[in-house]
Amino acid sequence: MTTITSTLVAIAWLGAANPADAKPSQADVQQAEETARAWLGLVDDGRYAESWTDAAALFRQSVRMDQWVQQISTVRAPFGKVLKRQFRSATPRTSLPGAPDGEYVVLQYDTDFEHKKAAVETVTPMRDPDGRWRVSGYFVR
């Protein structure tokens, strides 16, 4: 989990982000959440390589596919299946620590796993250069 934390948490971390950031439209936030849910479905199904392929360019530049597959399987497999995932919050940002300025939506979900109750998943979709929303960061605690 430390490797995922050091590789990706800077993208998903909220602590130093500027709360006065310009906000994407509500439609953008909805698209970002749809993207996050579809991407989480890949991770939930153990389709880790496909989750890397579907991630943002920034994500793919930050971690190689083989590293991602190893890291995420080490973190997620012990938790077991997702029993329940409930949306908690969406926070639009244009600036995040350790990431270039852009359009981001930091999403949090309260998630119960088979072997890990009361986890919080943070998924950060960003608008990629082609205009599509893709996941740029993932963190579970």
Side-chain angles (χ1 to χ4, degrees):
M1 184 155 157
T2 302
T3 306
I4 284 181
T5 302
S6 63
T7 303
L8 301 174
V9 74
I11 296 170
W13 186 59
L14 287 171
N18 181 355
D21 286 344
K23 295 184 179 182
S25 71
Q26 186 57 38
D28 287 335
V29 172
Q30 184 176 350
Q31 288 176 351
E33 186 180 5
E34 289 170 7
T35 295
R37 285 201 175 267
W39 188 86
L40 284 168
L42 296 174
V43 173
D44 293 345
D45 291 343
R47 295 162 52 191
Y48 305 136
E50 194 173 339
S51 72
W52 183 89
T53 301
D54 284 358
L58 177 64
F59 182 104
R60 294 189 318 270
Q61 292 166 2
S62 298
V63 62
R64 292 188 332 256
M65 182 191 296
D66 62 317
Q67 292 173 319
W68 170 248
V69 169
Q70 189 277 325
Q71 292 169 359
I72 193 66
S73 62
T74 299
V75 171
R76 282 292 301 270
F79 292 171
K81 295 187 303 186
V82 172
L83 301 177
K84 179 179 140 189
R85 177 179 287 128
Q86 183 169 335
F87 176 79
R88 176 192 271 195
S89 66
T91 308
R93 299 285 185 205
T94 57
S95 178
L96 292 173
D101 289 348
E103 292 181 71
Y104 300 88
V105 179
V106 180
L107 301 162
Q108 290 196 313
Y109 298 91
D110 294 318
T111 307
D112 291 342
F113 294 94
E114 196 173 22
H115 306 295
K116 171 81 173 157
K117 303 293 182 206
V120 176
E121 291 178 294
T122 302
V123 185
T124 307
M126 70 177 294
R127 189 184 306 273
D128 244 355
D130 67 0
R132 289 188 55 208
W133 287 93
R134 292 187 178 89
V135 171
S136 64
Y138 175 75
F139 183 71
V140 61
R141 62 172 170 87

